[in-house]
Amino acid sequence: MASATDQYAFFVEGLASLSKFDDLDSNIKKYALAAINDSLDFARAEGARVMLTEVAFPDDYLSAKGGRFSVSRRATQGSLEGAITARQRATSLARFSSGSVGESPIVGVRRGKGGVKLPRAFLMKLKSGNSDTRNNLGLAVRLKKGEALKKSHAAAEIGKGLFLLYGPSVDQVFRNLVNGETAYVRRVEDRLEGEFMRLLETFNV
């Protein structure tokens, strides 16, 4: 399980003809700078929107101020490049569950797909939580001697045979979103190109 300090950056790269920008007209660089930073904000907001339609993160989980999915670097005069960072720390499965301490929870990770009851799992109060737990609650399961968790389960052992279960990290969901030529990636690229051309045409008429 990755720590909260590990980061995966999504770089907004475009306008390939501007790669050697030292010799460009200062206005062209200014338009590219503004277009990239505008596209970063668009990419963050649009990425959060799409992820929330697919995964049942709490509504405010991917807010711009939350730090889990944010613009981590903006373009500058010296570097026409920016980055979006998605948190790699696994999300407690309690975030996707309903119920109270000691109860067998109903868990639903996919948005709109309903939930599944985990009869052997239970919600437990943690000594200390973090921003990825649900009110210091964790979703745990105790295995019998000789049992093992499925390889697909992300878990951390906190006692003999006692495991906390985790769902996907924001990073995992975001990687799936940007993998390949997705509609999301195309929208970001169109935004970058469109904003650059708008600025170019507006101030060079």
Side-chain angles (χ1 to χ4, degrees):
M1 184 167 50
S3 70
T5 57
D6 291 334
Q7 295 182 326
Y8 164 73
F10 167 57
F11 292 91
V12 177
E13 297 178 341
L15 309 175
S17 61
L18 301 183
S19 58
K20 296 180 180 180
F21 56 83
D22 287 340
D23 297 328
L24 290 176
D25 178 271
S26 60
N27 283 335
I28 300 297
K29 287 195 289 185
K30 182 172 66 177
Y31 304 152
L33 174 66
I36 290 170
N37 285 332
D38 169 84
S39 299
L40 282 167
D41 291 328
F42 172 80
R44 197 222 67 80
E46 180 68 359
R49 184 192 69 79
V50 176
M51 286 191 284
L52 286 173
T53 65
E54 297 178 352
V55 178
F57 289 123
D59 290 341
D60 62 347
Y61 199 71
L62 302 179
S63 67
K65 296 181 179 179
R68 301 180 187 91
F69 185 59
S70 60
V71 175
S72 54
R73 184 166 73 245
R74 291 189 175 276
T76 65
Q77 290 278 342
S79 176
L80 294 182
E81 182 180 83
I84 290 176
T85 298
R87 176 173 285 187
Q88 287 192 337
R89 177 190 289 161
T91 307
S92 171
L93 206 56
R95 280 281 191 179
F96 304 101
S97 67
S98 60
S100 302
V101 173
E103 293 182 349
S104 296
I106 295 177
V107 179
V109 175
R110 304 296 299 183
R111 180 78 67 180
K113 297 295 184 180
V116 176
K117 190 169 185 178
L118 303 180
R120 291 189 56 191
F122 57 93
L123 289 163
M124 64 177 292
K125 194 76 173 178
L126 304 176
K127 291 182 179 179
S128 61
N130 55 53
S131 61
D132 294 305
T133 62
R134 179 187 134 205
N135 299 323
N136 283 11
L137 288 179
L139 184 59
V141 64
R142 187 179 295 279
L143 301 182
K144 297 178 181 178
K145 187 176 180 179
E147 283 187 317
L149 289 171
K150 294 180 180 179
K151 291 184 178 180
S152 58
H153 289 164
E157 189 170 14
I158 59 173
K160 189 175 181 179
L162 181 63
F163 293 83
L164 284 179
L165 302 179
Y166 292 87
S169 67
V170 179
D171 171 74
Q172 287 175 308
V173 180
F174 190 52
R175 282 175 185 267
N176 290 335
L177 180 61
V178 301
N179 184 33
E181 292 297 319
T182 67
Y184 165 73
V185 172
R186 290 194 295 273
R187 286 198 297 274
V188 174
E189 291 172 343
D190 289 345
R191 176 69 174 228
L192 176 59
E193 181 179 0
E195 182 63 12
F196 176 73
M197 295 306 299
R198 185 189 70 80
L199 291 170
L200 191 63
E201 293 169 0
T202 299
F203 295 104
N204 287 274
V205 293

